[in-house]
Amino acid sequence: MATKEQQQAYAEKIKPLQPKPPYFINCLKAFVVGGFICVIGEALQKFYMTYFNFTTENVGNPTSATLILIAALLTGIGVYDKIGQFAGAGSAVPVTGFANAVTSAALEHRSEGIVLGVATNLFKIAGAVIVFGAVAAYVFGMIRYAFKILL
């Protein structure tokens, strides 16, 4: 087994030989794909406002639900993973990235059955996000309420 000093020396020796990541191209891909997902969201909002008479205050709910459904379906058939490999962080736009994380965790354990596999692991990743979101909403709500009282 190599010592820590040997490992560090080896890492320094091979560093010049490693290819440099294409940062600009990666950022451009993330920007274009993330922007395209947002354009789809905007188009869905216009669709719901035009054909279902939603207002600007309440059109966000069906838009988010539709984006979640689309991302979950694309994850289920394996397309969203390819989008993620191509776009990197651009595919992690909050709503669709969250849907992908939840669906991926559930699909990983589908061989264990519906209850012990899918249902048990469905919120393995999402549970922490939901709890943190609820706690953060409470804390910021209390801060806002305190400012409202004081000012």
Side-chain angles (χ1 to χ4, degrees):
M1 180 115 188
T3 66
K4 189 164 184 104
E5 292 82 23
Q6 289 173 331
Q7 290 174 349
Q8 288 175 344
Y10 179 74
E12 290 297 321
K13 189 175 183 179
I14 65 166
K15 191 174 185 178
L17 304 174
Q18 294 176 335
K20 303 288 184 235
Y23 293 116
F24 180 76
I25 298 297
N26 290 345
C27 289
L28 187 64
K29 287 179 189 178
F31 178 77
V32 170
V33 172
F36 184 68
I37 292 170
C38 292
V39 166
I40 292 171
E42 288 292 323
L44 285 169
Q45 280 188 340
K46 298 297 180 198
F47 173 76
Y48 285 126
M49 289 171 68
T50 304
Y51 293 105
F52 294 101
N53 297 324
F54 280 96
T55 64
T56 54
E57 289 82 28
N58 60 12
V59 74
N61 295 331
T63 303
S64 296
T66 305
L67 286 172
I68 288 168
L69 176 67
I70 291 169
L73 289 173
L74 290 176
T75 300
I77 60 175
V79 173
Y80 203 87
D81 294 334
K82 292 177 184 170
I83 294 170
Q85 287 174 349
F86 174 77
S91 66
V93 175
V95 173
T96 56
F98 184 69
N100 178 36
V102 171
T103 307
S104 295
L107 289 176
E108 260 183 53
H109 300 282
R110 69 176 175 238
S111 63
E112 298 170 20
I114 300 275
V115 174
L116 295 177
V118 175
T120 304
N121 293 293
L122 188 62
F123 291 106
K124 193 176 267 188
I125 294 174
V129 175
I130 292 169
V131 169
F132 179 76
V135 169
Y138 175 77
V139 169
F140 288 121
M142 294 307 288
I143 292 170
R144 184 173 180 212
Y145 181 71
F147 276 116
K148 189 175 183 181
I149 289 174
L150 295 174
L151 299 176

